[in-house]
Amino acid sequence: MINSKTAFPEMLLLTLIVIPSLVSLVGADTLPEGFFGRFRLGRSDNFDEYLTAKGYGWLTRRIVSFASVDKVFTKTGHTTFDFDNLTTKKDIHYKNVVLGKEFLGEGLDSTKHRVTDFYFSITLFLNIFQITFAMRGNRLYEKHIPTSVNAKQKEDEYGYELVGNGMVQILETKGVVARRYFTRV
């Protein structure tokens, strides 16, 4: 039988220690486990229309559309990961990314980008972009915001959703929605 006089203080102490610890673990900004791995582009829907709406010319659209693309997420710590965007044009590597933290990174267009939520606030180059990786619900978002009025690349936001054994990238501009389907390899 439980002695209520001694059980209550012990339960209270346990509650005050354990529950806040669990809340801090659950509330930590971490990339869901399902995103870790390598994903290879298989096909795209409405991608040429998306690139056209972004203002890219025919030749650029052909080059971008036919490029092979792998996206790789590697866990490096409890709340950190590496993100690699591997293409036939250029490979981009972001190391020890922390959701909610800004850092400088290079974009596919060879300019330096300021990376946010993947964050440290410094603007040292003319062609810098603020890039944010953030979880909203079950979707990972990657947002690029130019910090220079002369930047060729304009503001973009891409979503990533896990679907079955793959990942879908959702891109939208001016009401045009494209989807790129990646399979886990």
Side-chain angles (χ1 to χ4, degrees):
M1 181 166 211
I2 298 174
N3 182 341
S4 61
K5 290 182 181 179
T6 60
F8 180 74
E10 290 170 359
M11 297 272 292
L12 181 61
L13 182 60
L14 184 62
T15 302
L16 292 173
I17 293 171
V18 173
I19 291 178
S21 298
L22 291 175
V23 169
S24 69
L25 286 175
V26 171
D29 286 334
T30 60
L31 190 63
E33 289 293 324
F35 280 99
F36 295 117
R38 184 182 197 113
F39 299 88
R40 180 160 294 145
L41 179 63
R43 67 181 176 86
S44 299
D45 290 339
N46 218 31
F47 192 55
D48 190 61
E49 293 81 353
Y50 168 81
L51 293 174
T52 300
K54 294 292 293 176
Y56 292 105
W58 181 85
L59 182 59
T60 301
R61 293 194 324 266
R62 296 286 67 78
I63 292 169
V64 171
S65 293
F66 290 114
S68 67
V69 179
D70 280 8
K71 306 240 183 220
V72 183
F73 297 89
T74 307
K75 189 172 190 169
T76 57
H78 178 66
T79 59
T80 60
F81 62 95
D82 289 349
F83 174 76
D84 299 313
N85 190 30
L86 311 173
T87 73
T88 48
K89 178 186 179 207
K90 182 177 190 149
D91 294 342
I92 301 299
H93 308 280
Y94 299 137
K95 301 297 179 193
N96 294 312
V97 174
V98 177
L99 292 177
K101 301 298 175 192
E102 184 177 273
F103 66 90
L104 287 178
E106 187 174 6
L108 286 173
D109 58 359
S110 296
T111 61
K112 288 289 182 183
H113 293 213
R114 196 169 93 213
V115 183
T116 310
D117 264 19
F118 241 126
Y119 255 25
F120 74 93
S121 237
I122 299 178
T123 304
L124 298 174
F125 304 92
L126 293 177
N127 293 319
I128 295 177
F129 288 73
Q130 176 180 312
I131 302 174
T132 305
F133 282 80
M135 290 300 301
R136 284 185 252 149
N138 292 328
R139 190 179 284 183
L140 174 65
Y141 286 91
E142 175 184 1
K143 186 169 187 168
H144 296 234
I145 301 172
T147 59
S148 169
V149 293
N150 298 322
K152 291 178 186 176
Q153 185 178 339
K154 302 303 177 199
E155 184 172 328
D156 274 318
E157 183 172 60
Y158 322 119
Y160 299 95
E161 287 183 2
L162 297 173
V163 178
N165 195 34
M167 180 176 71
V168 178
Q169 181 183 29
I170 300 102
L171 308 100
E172 184 174 358
T173 189
K174 300 176 185 170
V176 177
V177 178
R179 287 182 168 68
R180 306 192 89 194
Y181 298 88
F182 293 79
T183 55
R184 189 179 298 273
V185 292

